[in-house]
Amino acid sequence: MRALQSLLLVAALLFARTAAAQVYEFPHYDDAAQVRADCDRLLVDLKQRERAIAALPERGGEVLAALDALNQRVEDLMGPLSVVPAVHPAKAVRDAAEACDLAYQRFNNAFLQNAKVYARLKQAAVADDIDRRLQREELDLFEDSGVALAPAARARAQRLNAELTKLTQDFERRVRENHDTVAFTEAELEGVPANVWRNAKRDAHGRVVLGLDYPSADPVIERAVQERTRERMWRATMRLGGEANLTTLQRIAQRRHEYAALFGFGSYADFVMRRRMVKNEAEASSFLDSVAAAVSERERADLAVLREAKAQATGQALAATTLQRWDLAYFTERVRQQRYAVDQEAFRAYFPPQRSLEFVFAVAQRLFGVRFEALTQTLWHEQAQAYAVRDGNGALLGTLFVDLFPRPDKYNHAAVWSFRNVATKSGRLPAAALVTNFDRQGLTLSELETLLHEFGHALHALLSATRYSIEGGTNVQLDFAEAPSQMLEDWVYDPAVLALFQQLCAECKPVPREMIERAQRARHFGKGLFFARQLVYARYDLALHGKRVEAPLALWSRMERATPLGHVPGSIMPAGFGHLASGYGAGYYGYLWSLVVAEDLRTAFAADRLAAAVGRRYRDSVLANGGQVAPEELVQRFLGRPGSREAFFRSLAIE
Ligand SMILES: [Zn+2]
């Protein structure tokens, strides 16, 4: 009897598990030992799977399914562990998660050089175009890791990969663990919102001590009335990473150049770009040239306006006024306030944080017919939230985690980790984590834009319905990845979209229409400067990864000297520019490139940004397909015509 009862209990538990199995439960990590134990188990399992794949039949084996199962196993553990360093309150747990990632990278580098797995992959059973694309992309990965090189070159590739991993970590650590500070008297901080510095540390002279993190440094550079204050903070941020990072960056560029040469390529840019939309460095350069031609006049006009604003503010004659780099953000904000009477701070009253989250959910509901349902889960912090995403018919689509507010040791930007991908072949549902650092008082309009942008990445992951997890959601070509999020950015400047707030929040006052219109116009001011700066970054990144490796600082100062404001001696911007060292190497142009795609996609929503029929078509053609269809083809399917740059260049011209 007792045995039967417990059997029934087990059956009931099993049933409950399968019924609830679909909602993803974020794993609990109480201590580092638990992370290490899980990590050890993962590595043993991965090695077993590697052997099993190598032992598949030589021809027609289910290699793709096996590789996807391996990827899912990696995601099961490394997925949540990739979120942990950003949000977990315990340092030991965060460190253990980072160490696990390193151990996994070592496995993966060796795995991608496994000649037997590569041979099985070449002869894999493929049913259709989706299978063929996954096979081709996996073969590319193995080949780019050196599996098909002669033995000596293959060994060299492996050593270079290991060295690059280490160099990249060194570079990023020096930026992340920077503890430089700048001290200011309260008078010197005139204009800087008090919430930025009120609770900051004080030095022996009672001065406010500020770090170089964005929430501290940006408001000083943007708002400090005294030029000397802005200059001191700007100069400090331009030393981020330090001289050591210049040496590391040069080594990274040299090793990448050498790596590309193993494959017969004259530049690292050409080596990596052949796998992207852009195809090669020449195409990227000619694209950047056309953007430069479109914005250079506008940049000069913007600079003239800012210089006038500075002359006015300082009471100096225009002829005697020199605009400095540390003036740009400050006077851009000032002109925006004076010309367009826009004060971003004033928006906070209209956009309470939790309501703002519900607002982006409502946008998704209107456009894509999906709804977000709060779940009860014990997460890494009491502020974190979990949501089930359901389709119109109630079917579960995935799970979203949200962590809205800042706290010590938390990641300090806004980002999405799409850490678990859908796979229709194996009935797997996706999960993503949205991490932001919003003020509890509410969001500014540009923060609402950031929230919608990041939420766009989460939607890309959650509304994907790909056959394989490897192709799920945001696993798309690097220069396409930002497009679906960038597309949504200007939704928040549309009064019809913002009106959704009143549907979900009875106590929310509607934002005055003219306030939105002024913000919209103000947004276009400074575009010339913004794009010109993005261009210098993108071109520098290409040059650093070009045919000849130059010393990073010499190259940078030469390129910056050619811009209207020139180069400030002593500033070493490349030392703190994480994109150069990370996986974005020779990829910075991608922000501009995908903006072209985003503007093109937007044209379909020109008449109505909440059109459900267009949203449905977009969901089915673009989001659902993740990376399993080429981006050019996704755009063609959605728009009914090939992609075009027209909308992008039109938008550059909007005053
Ligand atoms: Zn993004």
Side-chain angles (χ1 to χ4, degrees), residues 414-416 450 453-454 456-457 481-483 485-486 489 584 591:
V416 161
T450 301
H453 173 107
E454 293 306 334
H457 289 306
E482 292 297 326
S485 285
Q486 288 170 330
E489 285 171 3
Y584 255 84
Y591 283 104

Side-chain angles (χ1 to χ4, degrees), residues 267-587:
S267 80
Y268 181 73
D270 277 332
F271 173 69
V272 291
M273 283 179 183
R274 74 200 202 283
R275 310 292 191 212
R276 300 187 190 149
M277 284 183 87
V278 72
K279 302 288 186 277
N280 55 56
E281 194 273 337
E283 179 60 22
S285 283
S286 98
F287 164 65
L288 295 177
D289 288 348
S290 60
V291 178
V295 301
S296 66
E297 204 149 308
R298 196 161 175 168
E299 180 196 17
R300 276 192 295 276
D302 286 348
L303 287 169
V305 172
L306 297 188
R307 189 158 158 251
E308 254 169 65
K310 185 174 180 180
Q312 218 171 48
T314 55
Q316 272 183 320
L318 187 60
T321 304
T322 312
L323 201 60
Q324 305 287 357
R325 293 217 170 263
W326 46 86
D327 291 329
L328 296 182
Y330 176 77
F331 286 106
T332 300
E333 270 317 296
R334 230 179 121 95
V335 170
R336 279 192 179 134
Q337 284 189 18
Q338 285 173 349
R339 257 202 199 177
Y340 307 97
V342 172
D343 180 8
Q344 284 286 340
E345 296 295 314
F347 283 100
R348 296 196 193 280
Y350 300 94
F351 307 137
Q354 188 65 24
R355 296 308 198 175
S356 300
L357 180 65
E358 289 161 17
F359 160 75
V360 299
F361 290 169
V363 171
Q365 181 158 11
R366 284 288 291 273
L367 270 179
F368 307 124
V370 296
R371 55 178 209 275
F372 289 76
E373 231 174 63
L375 295 167
T376 318
Q377 277 192 29
T378 311
L379 298 168
W380 54 86
H381 192 273
E382 58 191 20
Q383 282 166 10
Q385 315 172 49
Y387 291 89
V389 193
R390 293 194 182 277
D391 214 338
N393 61 7
L396 187 70
L397 293 170
T399 313
L400 174 70
F401 300 93
V402 183
D403 190 341
L404 288 180
F405 303 114
R407 57 175 180 271
D409 293 331
K410 186 181 142 176
Y411 174 77
N412 68 7
H413 289 278
V416 161
W417 280 257
S418 47
F419 64 88
R420 185 183 180 88
N421 282 284
V422 68
T424 56
K425 193 180 167 89
S426 40
R428 180 185 179 87
L429 295 183
L434 167 66
V435 180
T436 63
N437 284 277
F438 293 131
D439 189 321
R440 286 166 190 282
Q441 301 308 308
L443 279 64
T444 64
L445 188 60
S446 60
E447 285 167 349
L448 191 66
E449 180 182 336
T450 301
L451 175 61
L452 192 57
H453 173 107
E454 293 306 334
F455 181 63
H457 289 306
L459 283 176
H460 201 178
L462 296 167
L463 302 188
S464 212
T466 54
R467 181 180 301 164
Y468 298 107
S469 68
I470 298 174
E471 304 278 25
T474 53
N475 289 339
V476 294
Q477 279 165 308
L478 188 74
D479 46 8
F480 177 70
E482 292 297 326
S485 285
Q486 288 170 330
M487 182 191 85
L488 290 171
E489 285 171 3
D490 77 346
W491 262 236
V492 305
Y493 295 87
D494 185 339
V497 178
L498 285 181
L500 289 175
F501 262 99
Q502 275 61 59
Q503 289 176 23
L504 56 90
C505 169
E507 74 278 14
C508 293
K509 289 176 297 170
V511 189
R513 215 188 165 90
E514 65 278 6
M515 214 169 136
I516 307 169
E517 282 164 5
R518 285 198 309 265
Q520 170 78 294
R521 285 198 300 275
R523 192 166 159 248
H524 294 298
F525 173 74
K527 252 185 183 172
L529 277 171
F530 172 79
F531 280 103
R533 197 63 180 162
Q534 292 294 308
L535 275 173
V536 187
Y537 291 156
R539 284 170 156 166
Y540 176 66
D541 176 37
L542 289 189
L544 190 68
H545 295 104
K547 295 210 160 35
R548 200 168 61 86
V549 177
E550 279 187 70
L553 187 59
L555 177 65
W556 172 248
S557 57
R558 195 178 71 236
M559 290 182 74
E560 210 184 24
R561 263 199 302 278
T563 67
L565 291 191
H567 173 73
V568 178
S571 69
I572 54 169
M573 190 287 295
F577 192 4
H579 284 84
L580 297 171
S582 74
Y584 255 84

Side-chain angles (χ1 to χ4, degrees), residues 154-165:
R154 191 163 66 217
R156 182 74 193 128
Q158 199 165 24
R159 279 199 304 278
L160 284 170
N161 258 330
E163 200 182 339
L164 278 164
T165 304

